[in-house]
Amino acid sequence: MAPAEPNAPPFRPKGKLPHFEDELEGWKGYIEWEKYPEKKKQVEEILKQYDFPDPPEFQLVPLPKTNPILTGERFKQYHYATGLGHLVDTSWQYVLKEKAEDMVHVLQFPYNGEPPGDRLVSTEITRNEDFFVRNHGGVPEIDADKYFLEIDGLVNNPKRLTLADLQNEELFPRETKVVSLQCSGTRRLEQIRQYPGDGDELINAPWGEGAIGTARWTGVSLKKVIKYCGGLKDGAKHIELFGADTYFKKGKVYNYVVSIPWRKVKIHEVLLAWEMNGKPLPKIHGFPLRAVVYGYIGARSCKWLYRIRGITDPSEAPVQRKEYLYYTPQIGKQNALYSNGFSIQDMPVSSAIISPKDMDVITHDGKVKLRGWAFSGGGHWPIRVEVSPDGGAIWYEVPTENMSTKYYYAWRLWEIDLPLDPEGWLEFCVRTWDNAMNTQPTYVRSAWNWDLHVTSSCHRIRVYSVNRSKPLTAARLKALEEHGIPLTPITKPLPIELETDEQYQASMAEQRGRDPLE
């Protein structure tokens, strides 16, 4: 495990630690909280005994240059205090086992991680090892042969289905869909750097451009499962999804619970998936069964799914009612309420430049290759990508042949050889148009919100342009090469003279001196 965050005191138990039994045999790490209010109250009383670490400050100061960036000490200590500390180590072991070695560990526990950008846009279908992870608790270990899914609430015939039942094609037609999932925190760093907001390190983790990925998901449409259960009763307009992970929020404990409208299910836009890119779901991605909700915020695609319930209104669970809210720019710490922000569902049109990176020095011959991704949720798809070399005055369209396959529910990768004449510091930016003519806000400030969600503004990077097609620049680069002097870092002063005395005198003569004639 990574070292603790600075100033986080070590955990010291107060007496004998409690022990909460796993709810079911073969479901290690799954503690049922929602059915047992007295057990939730017990945890609440336990947590009151401790002074847990404050959230780390990561917005008003530079981010740590460590990996993991943040370690999640207070969330670890919530688990230690309630006898669930084993989930901290188990979850990290699955990171090491199932994810790429060079993942950017945004938050160590609960685990949040994204892949290096260059590899993210190297294939239109994201490798399982590179797919971002956004977890709210530890990783349960559920045996497939012990697994079952409960469907109850406002359904006509409540049922309990095993994984084998769901995979029985005589009962349910199997389907495979290419779907992108995106965390609402994608590109949050841009908001943090300009206009900080709420500093909860789990809910508002400092994501870069990699909290998005695309996979081929295999499973069964949730609508088919509800139909198998006799359909919904009158008045049922929402479907509640329960995950087996444990989630702590403001001194209380829950299972992870969210909801989606029945209208979304009815048009076959919710899949109960057991395969990811032709393989069983990785444990860290929800094995043995998860929801995949097309075009919605990733938070609704519940992992380790164990219960589905028909309900009349959106879920009252905290992840649905109290989180993933979008506020106006005048809402903040002084006046934010759960009721004065709206719930994020459909993901808006968005895009990112992955290569080059912000603050890169680029040596080129009049053209620069840009690569990135573009996405739009809510049943829309990217139809056009445009990039600008000057902050948004002039735009160049990415040729359609340089964009990846068009899917109803997935991103498109893109690249362009951008004509570039000027030198020095420039601001590149990208915007995407979807098939409904939606595009992106121009600036971060236009879309800033207190919880720092959905950074959908034009993605901007600063680059230093060195144009080798310019004679003076070509001569300087040749001189540096002859002297074995690197161009970067550009801030390091040159140890050689900028020109000879003869060159200077010739230039001054051509300019007729520095001063006016009279």
Side-chain angles (χ1 to χ4, degrees):
M1 299 292 281
E5 290 155 0
N7 305 319
F11 176 75
R12 292 186 174 88
K14 299 193 175 185
K16 185 179 179 181
L17 290 175
H19 176 70
F20 293 99
E21 293 282 349
D22 294 332
E23 182 70 12
L24 296 165
E25 181 185 355
W27 294 56
K28 189 176 179 181
Y30 161 49
I31 315 295
E32 174 60 43
W33 303 108
E34 302 310 312
K35 294 180 181 178
Y36 306 113
E38 69 284 356
K39 194 160 62 172
K40 294 176 80 168
K41 184 66 176 176
Q42 183 184 352
V43 168
E44 192 174 345
E45 294 302 316
I46 291 168
L47 296 177
K48 285 179 182 177
Q49 300 174 29
Y50 290 89
D51 291 322
F52 293 106
D54 288 333
E57 179 55 69
F58 61 93
Q59 298 193 36
L60 298 177
V61 299
L63 276 180
K65 295 183 182 297
T66 55
N67 195 22
I69 298 171
L70 303 175
T71 60
E73 293 307 306
R74 66 187 181 117
F75 288 92
K76 292 178 184 177
Q77 293 195 20
Y78 297 156
H79 284 73
Y80 296 150
T82 51
L84 302 176
H86 59 284
L87 288 173
V88 176
D89 291 326
T90 298
S91 297
W92 184 243
Q93 289 307 309
Y94 279 114
V95 174
L96 300 178
K97 180 180 178 181
E98 296 184 336
K99 305 312 296 181
E101 289 184 5
D102 56 353
M103 289 286 283
V104 178
H105 308 309
V106 178
L107 180 66
Q108 186 180 42
F109 185 82
Y111 185 69
N112 288 245
E114 59 184 304
D118 287 348
R119 203 164 60 247
L120 176 67
V121 295
S122 64
T123 56
E124 70 178 27
I125 303 298
T126 313
R127 297 191 318 155
N128 290 358
E129 301 95 310
D130 289 334
F131 208 99
F132 83 96
V133 180
R134 200 287 187 254
N135 286 342
H136 292 72
V139 176
E141 299 175 284
I142 303 172
D143 294 343
D145 58 353
K146 301 282 188 179
Y147 174 80
F148 60 84
L149 174 66
E150 285 191 292
I151 302 100
D152 59 14
L154 298 177
V155 296
N156 287 312
N157 299 308
K159 291 187 183 295
R160 175 179 287 189
L161 299 173
T162 66
L163 188 61
D165 292 332
L166 292 167
Q167 294 175 340
N168 182 351
E169 294 191 71
E170 293 183 2
L171 294 178
F172 303 109
R174 186 175 302 192
E175 60 182 80
T176 297
K177 289 283 186 183
V178 175
V179 178
S180 294
L181 294 182
Q182 183 182 20
C183 176
S184 72
T186 311
R187 297 175 44 204
R188 179 175 282 131
L189 277 174
E190 296 162 54
Q191 294 197 61
I192 288 174
R193 286 167 179 161
Q194 294 189 41
Y195 307 100
D198 186 87
D200 186 309
E201 72 273 34
L202 173 57
I203 302 306
N204 302 316
W207 291 100
E209 299 86 37
I212 184 172
T214 301
R216 283 190 174 89
W217 308 93
T218 298
V220 58
S221 169
L222 176 54
K223 183 182 180 182
K224 300 286 187 183
V225 174
I226 297 297
K227 182 179 179 180
Y228 183 74
C229 296
L232 296 178
K233 292 182 177 179
D234 290 344
K237 295 181 179 178
H238 295 265
I239 302 294
E240 199 168 33
L241 308 175
F242 291 71
D245 43 335
T246 290
Y247 176 53
F248 290 93
K249 175 78 173 178
K250 294 187 182 294
K252 298 181 180 180
V253 69
Y254 308 87
N255 293 110
Y256 186 87
V257 182
V258 291
S259 66
I260 45 179
W262 169 243
R263 66 178 182 274
K264 186 77 172 172
V265 179
K266 192 163 59 174
I267 57 174
H268 295 286
E269 289 191 344
V270 182
L271 188 73
L272 305 185
W274 55 78
E275 277 187 10
M276 183 178 181
N277 292 329
K279 301 176 182 177
L281 281 173
K283 291 283 200 305
I284 204 166
H285 285 289
F287 179 88
L289 192 74
R290 69 171 296 164
V292 176
V293 184
Y294 310 167
Y296 262 27
I297 177 178
R300 309 301 177 226
S301 291
C302 181
K303 296 184 283 289
W304 308 291
L305 187 65
Y306 71 92
R307 185 184 179 196
I308 293 173
R309 189 164 75 112
I311 54 178
T312 56
D313 297 298
S315 174
E316 291 293 308
V319 178
Q320 189 72 37
R321 185 165 74 91
K322 299 180 179 181
E323 295 171 9
Y324 300 104
L325 303 174
Y326 200 85
Y327 294 108
T328 75
Q330 294 195 47
I331 298 293
K333 192 171 185 176
Q334 75 280 6
N335 58 2
L337 303 172
Y338 300 131
S339 57
N340 61 7
F342 66 79
S343 185
I344 303 167
Q345 299 281 59
D346 288 333
M347 291 301 287
V349 61
S350 185
S351 57
I353 301 168
I354 298 299
S355 176
K357 296 180 174 62
D358 189 46
M359 303 299 286
D360 272 357
V361 176
I362 306 169
T363 302
H364 59 92
D365 295 298
K367 285 189 176 181
V368 174
K369 185 177 289 294
L370 274 64
R371 302 170 66 210
W373 55 259
F375 179 63
S376 187
H380 301 302
W381 57 90
I383 203 76
R384 177 188 296 167
V385 176
E386 298 171 329
V387 296
S388 171
D390 61 359
I394 297 173
W395 294 91
Y396 293 84
E397 181 179 0
V398 173
T400 54
E401 63 268 23
N402 289 359
M403 296 176 67
S404 64
T405 311
K406 194 184 301 179
Y407 296 102
Y408 279 108
Y409 305 109
W411 69 5
R412 299 182 76 181
L413 305 182
W414 57 267
E415 65 176 49
I416 184 174
D417 291 320
L418 180 68
L420 193 65
D421 181 68
E423 296 192 281
W425 284 110
L426 302 173
E427 185 178 70
F428 291 174
C429 57
V430 60
R431 69 183 179 192
T432 294
W433 298 82
D434 71 13
N435 63 303
M437 292 296 294
N438 299 307
T439 192
Q440 300 171 242
T442 305
Y443 299 105
V444 167
R445 186 69 177 120
S446 308
W448 181 86
N449 60 100
W450 174 242
D451 276 351
L452 309 173
H453 289 303
V454 192
T455 311
S456 59
S457 54
C458 295
H459 185 219
R460 297 171 180 273
I461 63 169
R462 296 156 296 173
V463 299
Y464 191 85
S465 167
V466 179
N467 190 342
R468 210 162 23 208
S469 68
K470 307 277 188 178
L472 192 58
T473 298
R476 174 59 51 81
L477 293 175
K478 182 179 179 182
L480 293 180
E481 183 179 2
E482 289 172 350
H483 286 83
I485 300 171
L487 178 64
T488 56
I490 59 169
T491 52
K492 185 175 181 178
L494 284 172
I496 60 174
E497 295 288 354
L498 303 186
E499 60 185 334
T500 66
D501 290 344
E502 292 78 8
Q503 289 170 331
Y504 175 81
Q505 295 298 338
S507 181
M508 285 297 101
E510 186 177 324
Q511 296 177 44
R512 290 182 284 182
R514 290 197 185 274
D515 295 328
L517 179 62
E518 58 179 63

